[in-house]
Amino acid sequence: MSTRVVIAEDLHLLREGLVHLLRAHGFEVVAAVESGPELLKALTEERPDVAVVDVRLPPTFTDEGLQASLAARRAIPGLPVLVLSQHVEQLYARELLADGSGAIGYLLKDRVFNSEQFVDAVRRVAAGGTAMDPEVIAKLLASTARHEPLGALTPREREVLELMAEGRSNTAISQRLFLSESAVGKHTASIFGKLGLSPSDDDNRRVLAVLAYLNAARS
């Protein structure tokens, strides 16, 4: 059974490009809309497996896409949403992370370098995971840099933390940093100990714990 997707993008060529790309990778696009009100209607009526949403949509081109997604998630708890944005907006990331239920993503349009990367993010979010752009994580970390427990992390632990927060598994982290999985496991255990978080073997629960910590530490 194919994954059902709703797309919201006001630029016609980009919207059609997303439709064709996702269909080519086996997704079923059940709606492709261009405004906030259309998005909310499509999400609540179609109840897709995942939504791919531009933040800024008509009529005001501010944050209609985000607000429609948040409204739909309130009506349908845990509805997977992957947000596309032109810039890092920490407030948007914070609002997405606020309910702590996961199945969210925040990617920067200029930093999606290939179709495989994008499709992987869509699938990860649809499966209940997270897909956060490294720049978003870097901004969250920078804004909490003076928070004492984070300051206790070693440079290598910060690298591992950033990749965890992006939604990477231990296997993916070990490949990225050229470390053994056991070494990554030791780093993650140390990170969770220093941050006072309960360790978990479940990748998604682990990511949510880290993101919730970063979100709370900014308050």
Side-chain angles (χ1 to χ4, degrees), residues 12-22:
H12 175 76
L13 288 178
L14 182 52
R15 184 170 66 252
E16 289 302 304
L18 289 171
V19 169
H20 288 297
L21 173 63
L22 291 176

Side-chain angles (χ1 to χ4, degrees), residues 104-178:
I104 55 97
Y106 190 123
L107 298 182
L108 299 180
K109 291 181 178 179
D110 291 347
R111 289 173 51 82
V112 178
F113 300 121
N114 56 64
S115 59
E116 288 75 18
Q117 175 193 8
F118 175 70
V119 169
D120 173 68
V122 175
R123 288 193 173 123
R124 207 185 318 158
V125 172
T130 57
M132 305 296 287
D133 188 279
E135 280 199 22
V136 177
I137 301 305
K139 284 287 183 71
L140 288 173
L141 280 169
S143 65
T144 58
R146 295 181 182 178
H147 199 65
E148 187 174 347
L150 285 175
L153 300 182
T154 67
R156 176 64 84 186
E157 287 170 348
R158 284 183 64 89
E159 287 183 309
V160 172
L161 178 64
E162 289 181 22
L163 292 171
M164 268 200 293
E166 288 174 31
R168 306 295 176 182
S169 66
N170 276 6
T171 301
I173 294 171
S174 67
Q175 293 171 347
R176 179 73 68 88
L177 298 180
F178 303 102

Side-chain angles (χ1 to χ4, degrees), residues 7-139:
I7 295 170
E9 167 60 56
D10 65 294
L11 295 177
H12 175 76
L13 288 178
L14 182 52
R15 184 170 66 252
E16 289 302 304
L18 289 171
V19 169
H20 288 297
L21 173 63
L22 291 176
R23 283 178 175 163
H25 283 82
F27 294 85
E28 178 186 356
V29 178
V30 296
V33 301
E34 61 179 330
S35 72
E38 289 176 312
L39 172 60
L40 181 56
K41 183 173 184 289
L43 292 177
T44 54
E45 289 183 356
E46 295 290 347
R47 293 179 174 249
D49 298 311
V50 61
V52 177
V53 178
D54 186 6
V55 169
R56 298 171 187 256
L57 294 173
T60 66
F61 294 97
T62 53
D63 62 352
E64 283 87 351
L66 177 70
Q67 294 306 322
S69 299
L70 292 172
R73 277 174 68 93
R74 287 191 290 271
I76 310 169
L79 175 70
V81 174
L82 174 59
V83 166
L84 299 176
S85 180
Q86 202 69 41
H87 308 286
V88 178
E89 297 282 358
Q90 291 187 54
L91 178 60
Y92 296 164
R94 187 172 187 178
E95 288 192 71
L96 280 170
L97 296 171
D99 65 9
S101 61
I104 55 97
Y106 190 123
L107 298 182
L108 299 180
K109 291 181 178 179
D110 291 347
R111 289 173 51 82
V112 178
F113 300 121
N114 56 64
S115 59
E116 288 75 18
Q117 175 193 8
F118 175 70
V119 169
D120 173 68
V122 175
R123 288 193 173 123
R124 207 185 318 158
V125 172
T130 57
M132 305 296 287
D133 188 279
E135 280 199 22
V136 177
I137 301 305
K139 284 287 183 71

